[in-house]
Amino acid sequence: MNIHFQTGSNLPSLTGSLSRKALSQGVWGDEQRVVEITAKKGSHWATHGHTHSDRLLLLPEEALFLMECGSLEVQAAGLPLSLQQAYHTLLSESDLIHYQVYSCLKRLGYIVHKVVLSPGRKSESEPTLEGECIKTVSCCPLCTLPRPPPEAHQLLEVYQPKPGFQKSSPGPPAFRVMAARPKDHFPGVGLLGWLEKLRPTAPLKFCIVDSNSTAYYSIATSQIPTLSNKQHSTASHSVS
């Protein structure tokens, strides 16, 4: 996995002028793939992190974003990670495009939650650890929803910033985003239909990530009347 960085003054260093005492501290858990916060500083926690078994945890993209903002130091194997090391440690190659969209939306001022829905669970009421971390952002309990299709993986739920926002009860998102590269397959009808049942009122957008460029497409359901004598219509998905 090759990652290239552009040097600029907008990327704060975690050394030098910034004291470690001013940074939140976290420890990377490679097996569970979360960062456990051991020292909490600043005002980021109203929109970042989730509590699991009395531990404050960050998903990889949350931790990496706070590191980029110069607000968090993460240790792995007893040593602090540089930003370059954090990209390689916290993200897999398939996570890069999702993080690119996540960080872009965060820098625009949105509140962004990642939803991980694994079709490999034994039952809908037994989410993975990541599911435990994020299941509270869903207005609908996961156990009441049909099992996601095999291609279901990651979805970003995007909220408008507002006073008094609560992670445990955020309400419906303003919109949802799926990210993919140009060479990836477009979501199938089964996945689109399942996502509609998950959030009927939240628009779904499909983000194409090509190098450093992104393009957003809206996905909506429309009714197309048939050209027969029968009075019925068929549903289809359109992209604009």
Side-chain angles (χ1 to χ4, degrees):
M1 179 170 61
N2 296 320
I3 303 173
H4 302 281
F5 296 95
Q6 182 177 358
T7 303
S9 58
N10 61 324
L11 295 178
S13 171
L14 295 184
T15 60
S17 59
L18 283 178
S19 169
R20 291 186 62 193
K21 294 182 179 180
L23 301 178
S24 297
Q25 300 290 323
V27 178
W28 170 247
D30 193 57
E31 182 177 348
Q32 298 175 335
R33 300 198 61 77
V34 292
V35 172
E36 180 177 355
I37 298 302
T38 57
K40 186 172 66 172
K41 305 288 180 65
S43 58
H44 328 286
W45 307 105
T47 57
H48 293 86
H50 291 84
T51 302
H52 177 72
S53 300
D54 297 325
R55 297 183 300 158
L56 180 58
L57 305 176
L58 292 175
L59 295 179
E61 59 278 345
E62 293 180 300
L64 188 56
F65 181 77
L66 290 178
M67 288 185 70
E68 287 187 335
C69 293
S71 302
L72 175 68
E73 180 179 79
V74 175
Q75 295 199 12
L79 296 174
L81 294 175
S82 68
L83 192 56
Q84 180 80 27
Q85 291 171 330
Y87 265 89
H88 286 278
T89 303
L90 274 61
L91 300 181
S92 66
E93 187 170 358
S94 62
D95 289 331
L96 285 173
I97 61 167
H98 297 280
Y99 180 70
Q100 186 172 338
V101 177
Y102 172 91
S103 61
C104 178
L105 291 169
K106 289 287 293 181
R107 294 183 190 283
L108 290 174
Y110 289 102
I111 299 168
V112 186
H113 288 164
K114 182 178 76 172
V115 178
V116 179
L117 299 164
S118 171
R121 294 201 308 266
K122 293 181 180 179
S123 70
E124 289 81 353
S125 59
E126 297 179 3
T128 61
L129 177 62
E130 279 193 319
E132 285 285 351
C133 291
I134 56 85
K135 72 176 183 179
T136 54
V137 307
S138 178
C139 294
C140 307
L142 296 183
C143 59
T144 65
L145 296 170
R147 187 182 296 273
E151 67 268 32
H153 182 47
Q154 292 189 19
L155 182 72
L156 298 179
E157 295 196 331
V158 185
Y159 299 83
Q160 294 277 3
K162 60 181 180 181
F165 179 87
Q166 295 183 359
K167 295 180 295 186
S168 60
S169 182
F175 58 92
R176 301 165 298 161
V177 178
M178 293 186 67
R181 297 180 177 90
K183 64 180 180 181
D184 293 338
H185 293 293
F186 191 80
V189 174
L191 176 56
L192 292 176
W194 185 85
L195 289 171
E196 282 189 288
K197 293 179 181 179
L198 179 65
R199 292 289 200 196
T201 61
L204 179 62
K205 299 182 183 298
F206 196 63
C207 181
I208 303 296
V209 180
D210 189 4
S211 185
N212 293 324
S213 300
T214 57
Y216 289 83
Y217 297 86
S218 296
I219 301 176
T221 300
S222 60
Q223 298 290 330
I224 301 177
T226 61
L227 299 179
S228 65
N229 293 328
K230 296 180 180 180
Q231 297 296 316
H232 68 273
S233 60
T234 58
S236 65
H237 292 89
S238 61
V239 181
S240 60

